[in-house]
Each structure stands twice: as structure tokens, then as C-alpha cells.
Amino acid sequence: MNNKGQLRLPLVILAARRQDSKMINASVPIVRNTLVSRRGRLILFFFATLLGAAGLLAHVLRISYEEAGRKAETEARNIVNTAEARLGATFRRIESDLEHIALGFPQAALLSNADKAVRAAVMQDLSMYRAHFPEVVGFRVADRSGRVLFASERDEVQLDVSDRSYFKALAQSQGQRLYFSEVLTGRLTARQVVAVAVPLRSPAGEFLGVVTAAIDLAHFAALFEAVDLGPNGVITLRRSDDARLVLRRPAKPDAVNLPLHNNPMHLRIEMGERSGTIRYEAALDKTERIYAYQRIGEYPFYVAAGIASEDYLIGWRRSLFSTLTIFSLLALGLSLVLVRALRIEREEESVANQLAESEARYRMLADNSHDVIWTIDIPTRRFTYVSPSVKTLRGFTPEEVIAQPIEAGLTPESAELANRVIDQRLRRIASGDLSANVVTTELDQLCRDGSIVSTEVVSSYLLDVTGVPRTILGITRNISERKAAEEALRESNRRLQEQLQEIERLQAALREQAIRDSLTGLYNRRYLDETLDREVARARREGNPLSLVMMDIDHFKDVNDTYGHQVGDEVLRVLAATLLADIRAEDVACRYGGEEFLILLPNMPLVAALERAESWRAEVAALQIRHGGFQLQFTVSLGVASYPEHGKTPDDLTRGADQALYRAKAEGRNRVVASC
């Protein structure tokens, strides 16, 4: 039963029946307690609504904050994966070339009276290797005493490297196969370099000298400069064995070759982690960042990229300011509604107490009430009394309202509802349902000026001595402000729901971006690593073949240097679209890094994979890209490796395809080569 009906029904009945004042006075404490309870519930509802809105906004902001962090992590991982792929490919190619030079190096060339033809052949080989490596300053060969006999960048050199760390390490250790030096200043070029060295040994294992390649760190510095990490971002290359700094952007020359102490990221590397993400404040510049890190193959290096919190939270802080502004306005609006509602409740309490204190004062209180009190004769369904407050509510005098049928003061819909409610209540009362005596209904009433006012009507059906309802006592209240407040709350909830839906959409987009290359639409390196592990395990389990094709655009640097990076990007997109148009549903094409692509071909043997690779090579060679007033054409070189012929692990297959690609490049490009 409605509380308002419970409150007003005794008062109206007492006034109508003129009962003695003793009964009225006894009801005063009950009336006051009921009204106080209603105010408490109203205040409780206000704070519950405010806290609910605050909780919802805090939840939305927390989700937005976490999404900003996850997006920063994803961007840092993508940057690290790209850098690792580029650096790893360079290290692998340098290692392969050094081993190839060492294995084929003629021992006669180490003699002081070596034949000029032999020396010329060695110099020609070293110059050829250097021409394939823009990252390498030069290839050198030193004898067992440390005297440099050959340098690819100069015919005659007077240089001794016996004091270099790589020469000492290889000369003293029989088992050392490959050595990366600290950052050095080149004695021939004065550039910052890292020397990669392999030993020259006789068939009996005797140390004869070293072959070195000097990596130009300026090349990697240019790669780091091209990375967008925000105003306060950082990307570093460090050694994984002792955390010494190799390269950093922004540069800190005084920190080069210095190790880290108690660095949380390096501690994870020392514990054996190959990759991951971590958030901490950097000791060098006291800036908090989200870092992603990745070991570079099996080499003693790892690359790390950090995005500063103050950079990736810029958008979130704007949202925070907007949300706090909206919440403040909402709290202000609710406070005004609460103040108005409490004021109305206090006024009602005053009226109710005065009505309860004296039967004689009932008519005066009714005449001055903000609510409209009225009675209707049920048989005729005509008003028999209307309080003067109807003038304030609708603009009509009580006499004008009494002279009209009840339908005249209602909209057509409300008039139909009012008559239907009366009929239903009379039937329920006739059937013995006493709970039907009081009912609350919302009706739209017509005003003198043609406007419509929303009202809440509490009706009480009074019975005669025979139990038959004869009169309806009612109270009508203007609830336009309350409905406006409810509509404002609904609108706020709708906007919050839209924000939640937008957050869900952004989450789905971020999940897709995490495994896709933004430029080409192909899968990225991270997705390939996961898929390759799974497909190799499946091939091993089911005994099915599996092939891997590594593709590289020939002379891609020339395309970028000649036509610009926009044309280079278009070449990458066209190549990606060509691959996507000619692969099976189960094939996985990804951008491996830079201009390198990798296509995973499940259930495909080597012969079929070579045919597919040759088809792609021919199709790409026939492509034409319009740029300005001319047509641009390009070619690709492809290396193919298959399971189980060329390896039984993901690393073996990737290495086989990479070596085959390198041979395709060395043999003249624009060709397909299978792994050995």
C-alpha cells in the first residue's frame, strides 16, 4: 500500500467525518514519525544515487586508465618487437658472414710474404661483404699477434688490436666461437662501434688470428630516432650479461658502457626472462614509464622501450576533468532537487500536523495546502469539493472545477486511465479486497492556459455503513519538477551507458591492433611467434609437413631514398595485398620487420612451397605502382624452409628460411632459394 495514501487517508477521513479532537491528537506522533521517516528515505535515496553515480564514473575512469596503460604496453611491445627483429636480423647476417669468411680464409694470406694475388682476393671478398652491410663500418683480419693484415675500407693499415677485449677473449679461450665487444671508438674511422669477432684457427685448433666486423652504432641510432615514443619516451640497447649501456635515445654519452645496478627490468633479464613489460621510475632521469623489453635472439643484448606515464595519460586526464565537471553538475542538480523535495516535505509535515491538531482548522489548512484536496461522488462521478489550491495548480477556481465532469480536466489518455482505475477498484472492493481502498495514480491535467501539468493523485474509497463505496477522497500533487529530475537522471545514465559501450568498442579494436601490423594489415611478429609454435607442435604431433617462406623486397632502401617513405609504404601495402589475395584460409602472412615478410604454410611440403614462392615472385615482378608520371616496379627475394627437412623447431625453421633468403640475395636477388 502506498505510504502517502496511508498518511493522508486517516486525516481526510477524520476531517470528513468530524470525529472528536482526542482521536486527532493521538495521531500526531504517528504523523510526525512517518514524515521524518520519509525525509530520511529521501536523503538516503539522494546519497545512494550520488554514490552510485560516483562509483559508476570511477569505474569508467578506472577502465579508461587501465586501457591507456594497456595501449602504452602494446605500443611499447610493438616497437620493441620491430627493433628486435631488425637488430636480430643484422646480428645473424653478420655472424653468418664472419663464419663464412673464417671458414674459407686462406692461411697463406696470414704470412708476411703472402702472394699479392691471394691478398687481392681476400681484399675483394672483404669489400664485397662490406658492400652488403650498410650497418658495418668494415671487415678486418688480424693475425695471432694482433696486427691487422686486411681492412675492407683501406688497402694498407698500420693497426694493432692485441689490446682489444675481443682479441684477448678469443686468443685465450679455445671454446669461444663469437664475441661482441663493448662500445669502442674505431681507430680507423673514429666512429662509435661494437666489434663482432670470430677466431681463425688451424685444423688442429691452433689460434691464428681474428676476423671482425665493426658495427656502426650511428645506423642503429638513426633507427631509434625514427621511433615515436612521445616527448619523454626512451629506447635503449643494453648487454644482457652485465647491463652495460650500448645505445640510448635520448642519448646519454656519459652512460655508455656503464652497467645498471638493482634495475628491476635487468633483474628479470638475469632471471631468464626473454621478454615482458614492467612499470618503474628510471634512475637516470627519475621518470616513471611503462617499459617493454626483448632479448635479441641468443645474442648478449636486449632492447627496451619505455613510454612515460605523463605522455600516455594526457587523454585520460582530459577525460578525468570532463567527468569531474559532469559529476559536479549532477551533484548540484540532485542537491537542488533534494532541497526542493525536503522543503516540500517540511511544508507537508506542517500542514499534516495542523490538520491533526484541530478538526476545526482542517478546512483552513486544506484551503492553504499546496496540494489539491477533493472529493468525488461515486454514483454521479462529479466533484463535490475541491480545495482552493487548484487555482495555483491549474488556473481554475474550485467552483469551475466542480461544475465540470472529471474528464474535462484531464488529457484523453489520463481520462481513460482514471475511469478504468475507478472501475477496477470498485470491482475489487465489491469482491471483498479491502487493499483496493487506496490507490496512487499519475495523471496529466489540463490548465487554463492550455499547458499540461503532471500530477500524482492519491485516492481513498470511503465506504458507508453497509460497506458500499460512496465517496472518493483525493489529494493531487504537482510532480513536474520530480519528473524533470527523473528525466535528467535517466539522461545521465544513458550517456554513461554510451561511454561504456564506446570503451568496449575500443577494447575490441585494441585487441585486434595487438596482433596486426598497422601499415599492411598483416599479422605482426608477436602473432607469428605464437602461431608458429602452435603449428610446429601440431606438425610434430600429426606428422604433417609445414613450410615457411621468408620474403624481402630487393633494394628497398633505394626505393625509400629515391621516392620517399610514402612510396615505400605504398610498396609494402601493395605487396601485402598481393599476398593476402593468394593465400589459403589456413596460411598466416605477417610483416616480420621492415621490408621482410614471413608466410607460414601449414600442411604444405617443400616442393609445393617452392612453387607457391615462385608464383609470388613472378606476380610481384609483374606489379606496377604508379607514382607521378611513371610506373614503379620492384622484385623480391624468397627463402623457403620446411619441416622436418630443415628443422624441427620454430627457431630452426626461421633460421633456415633466413639463411635461404640471404643466399637468394647473394646470388643476384629476384629468386627463390630453398634452405640447405
Side-chain angles (χ1 to χ4, degrees):
M1 184 179 295
N2 185 280
N3 288 334
K4 295 181 180 178
Q6 289 179 326
L7 169 64
R8 293 183 175 83
L9 179 56
L11 298 179
V12 178
I13 293 176
L14 289 171
R17 296 180 178 180
R18 303 289 200 271
Q19 294 187 0
D20 56 47
S21 60
K22 184 176 181 180
M23 180 179 291
I24 297 175
N25 292 334
S27 69
V28 170
I30 299 175
V31 170
R32 287 175 178 168
N33 290 339
T34 303
L35 289 171
V36 170
S37 176
R38 287 173 55 195
R39 283 202 302 272
R41 287 196 298 271
L42 189 61
I43 294 173
L44 182 62
F45 172 77
F46 166 79
F47 283 106
T49 302
L50 201 61
L51 289 175
L56 182 59
L57 290 173
H59 179 67
V60 171
L61 288 171
R62 181 179 62 81
I63 292 176
S64 177
Y65 180 89
E66 293 174 352
E67 282 300 318
R70 282 192 288 269
K71 182 179 179 182
E73 286 184 4
T74 299
E75 291 177 354
R77 280 196 298 266
N78 289 340
I79 291 169
V80 164
N81 289 338
T82 301
E84 188 276 335
R86 194 70 171 270
L87 295 172
T90 299
F91 291 162
R92 285 193 298 273
R93 292 173 64 191
I94 291 175
E95 179 184 5
S96 178
D97 280 2
L98 288 175
E99 290 179 348
H100 191 269
I101 293 172
L103 287 174
F105 192 86
Q107 294 187 19
L110 296 173
L111 301 176
S112 58
N113 58 349
D115 185 80
K116 292 184 178 181
V118 174
R119 290 185 57 83
V122 170
M123 285 296 297
Q124 183 178 2
D125 287 343
L126 294 180
S127 299
M128 180 192 70
Y129 281 111
R130 183 196 177 196
H132 287 91
F133 272 104
E135 302 95 333
V136 174
V137 175
F139 289 84
R140 290 105 185 235
V141 179
D143 62 15
R144 69 181 68 194
S145 67
R147 183 169 59 92
V148 176
L149 302 177
F150 301 94
S152 62
E153 64 269 41
R154 190 178 299 179
D155 291 334
E156 296 291 334
V157 293
Q158 297 293 328
L159 189 64
D160 187 289
V161 296
S162 60
D163 60 332
R164 293 297 199 187
S165 60
Y166 59 85
F167 184 88
K168 294 178 180 180
L170 294 176
Q172 295 170 3
S173 175
Q174 289 291 328
Q176 187 84 29
R177 186 182 62 84
L178 180 70
Y179 188 92
F180 287 81
S181 76
E182 70 278 17
V183 177
L184 304 171
T185 300
R187 292 171 176 169
L188 287 179
T189 62
R191 298 182 184 180
Q192 293 287 301
V193 299
V194 170
V196 187
V198 298
L200 288 173
R201 300 190 187 277
S202 68
E206 180 185 5
F207 177 75
L208 301 178
V210 295
V211 181
T212 64
I215 301 177
D216 187 1
L217 292 181
H219 185 87
F220 292 154
L223 173 64
F224 284 7
E225 286 294 333
V227 175
D228 183 12
L229 288 167
N232 299 288
V234 62
I235 181 169
T236 61
L237 175 65
R238 289 186 178 273
R239 295 188 68 96
S240 58
D241 47 8
D242 54 11
R244 284 181 294 170
L245 179 65
V246 177
L247 187 63
R248 185 183 190 274
R249 197 226 78 186
K252 282 195 174 292
D254 55 345
V256 172
N257 285 330
L258 295 182
L260 294 173
H261 299 288
N262 298 321
N263 180 271
M265 178 168 60
H266 187 72
L267 290 176
R268 291 190 177 186
I269 293 292
E270 288 183 336
M271 293 172 62
E273 290 189 8
R274 298 197 62 83
S275 64
T277 58
I278 187 173
R279 182 202 302 262
Y280 66 94
E281 183 181 279
L284 281 177
D285 55 11
K286 305 301 181 184
T287 300
E288 183 187 68
R289 299 182 180 90
I290 287 181
Y291 290 88
Y293 55 92
Q294 173 77 46
R295 282 284 301 270
I296 302 176
E298 299 302 322
Y299 301 105
F301 299 96
Y302 68 94
V303 62
I307 300 178
S309 299
E310 61 183 281
D311 293 338
Y312 73 78
L313 288 178
I314 289 177
W316 179 83
R317 290 193 176 97
R318 294 196 191 100
S319 299
L320 175 63
F321 176 78
S322 301
T323 302
L324 291 177
T325 301
I326 293 173
F327 179 76
S328 300
L329 294 176
L330 176 62
L332 178 61
L334 287 174
S335 300
L336 294 176
V337 172
L338 176 64
V339 170
R340 176 60 179 168
L342 291 176
R343 183 181 301 162
I344 292 174
E345 289 294 331
R346 285 195 297 270
E347 291 172 354
E348 289 181 358
E349 180 182 4
S350 176
V351 172
N353 288 334
Q354 291 178 37
L355 286 172
E357 289 172 354
S358 173
E359 179 184 359
R361 296 172 59 192
Y362 169 73
R363 181 58 61 92
M364 181 188 66
L365 294 175
D367 290 348
N368 290 278
S369 172
H370 288 279
D371 297 336
V372 180
I373 302 174
W374 47 266
T375 60
I376 288 178
D377 178 62
I378 292 177
T380 61
R381 298 199 180 182
R382 305 280 294 195
F383 287 105
T384 55
Y385 169 76
V386 178
S387 66
S389 53
V390 73
K391 177 78 172 177
T392 303
L393 179 68
R394 297 175 52 206
F396 293 100
T397 64
E399 293 76 14
E400 290 174 329
V401 175
I402 292 173
Q404 298 174 346
I406 60 175
E407 294 86 354
L410 302 172
T411 63
E413 296 80 6
S414 293
E416 181 182 356
L417 174 61
N419 284 318
R420 185 167 64 251
V421 169
I422 292 174
D423 293 338
Q424 290 174 349
R425 293 287 157 169
L426 292 176
R427 286 195 297 270
R428 289 178 57 184
I429 293 173
S431 66
D433 183 4
L434 297 181
S435 65
N437 286 7
V438 179
V439 61
T440 301
T441 312
E442 290 188 3
L443 300 175
D444 291 333
Q445 301 196 27
L446 300 174
C447 300
R448 180 183 290 277
D449 60 5
S451 62
I452 297 175
V453 61
S454 297
T455 63
E456 180 183 74
V457 179
V458 180
S459 304
S460 302
Y461 290 74
L462 305 182
L463 310 180
D464 61 13
V465 294
T466 63
V468 177
R470 297 293 182 183
T471 302
I472 302 176
L473 299 178
I475 298 177
T476 300
R477 167 176 293 178
N478 186 344
I479 60 170
S480 298
E481 291 184 359
R482 189 185 79 189
K483 291 181 74 69
E486 292 172 350
E487 179 61 28
L489 283 175
R490 283 193 294 271
E491 178 62 20
S492 296
N493 289 334
R494 184 190 63 79
R495 289 196 296 268
L496 289 174
Q497 186 63 31
E498 290 177 350
Q499 292 178 359
L500 288 174
Q501 292 173 353
E502 178 63 14
I503 289 173
E504 291 175 356
R505 185 189 66 78
L506 292 175
Q507 286 176 330
L510 286 174
R511 283 193 294 270
E512 178 65 18
Q513 290 174 4
I515 62 172
R516 291 282 185 182
D517 175 59
S518 59
L519 177 63
T520 64
L522 300 179
Y523 290 112
N524 58 23
R525 172 77 174 273
R526 174 187 175 189
Y527 181 79
L528 174 71
D529 290 341
E530 296 173 356
T531 305
L532 183 56
D533 287 341
R534 185 173 61 252
E535 291 298 333
V536 169
R538 180 183 299 173
R540 185 183 301 114
R541 183 174 61 253
E542 300 177 358
N544 295 328
L546 174 71
S547 294
L548 199 64
V549 178
M550 183 174 288
M551 177 186 300
D552 186 88
I553 301 175
D554 296 330
H555 303 297
F556 185 70
K557 183 177 183 301
D558 294 341
V559 174
N560 280 332
D561 293 344
T562 304
Y563 303 104
H565 287 281
Q566 289 184 345
V567 175
D569 289 347
E570 180 63 20
V571 169
L572 293 173
R573 283 192 288 266
V574 169
L575 179 54
T578 303
L579 291 176
L580 288 175
D582 190 27
I583 62 173
R584 303 170 302 172
E586 63 269 29
D587 297 340
V588 178
C590 81
R591 186 180 178 190
Y592 194 63
E595 66 271 20
E596 286 187 335
F597 295 80
L598 210 61
I599 305 96
L600 178 62
L601 303 171
N603 297 315
M604 182 174 288
L606 177 61
V607 174
L610 288 172
E611 293 177 356
R612 177 64 63 85
E614 177 59 29
S615 174
W616 286 330
R617 185 205 62 76
E619 188 173 354
V620 170
L623 291 175
Q624 291 187 346
I625 299 176
R626 181 176 295 278
H627 177 68
F630 59 87
Q631 300 285 344
L632 172 66
Q633 290 183 288
F634 63 96
T635 61
V636 294
S637 299
L638 303 97
V640 183
S642 294
Y643 174 90
E645 295 96 322
H646 304 127
K648 297 184 178 180
T649 67
D651 288 342
D652 290 342
L653 289 175
T654 305
R655 189 180 301 109
D658 185 56
Q659 291 174 350
L661 173 62
Y662 178 71
R663 286 170 46 218
K665 291 280 191 180
E667 292 174 6
R669 296 183 173 85
N670 191 22
R671 64 190 64 236
V672 177
V673 173
S675 178
C676 297

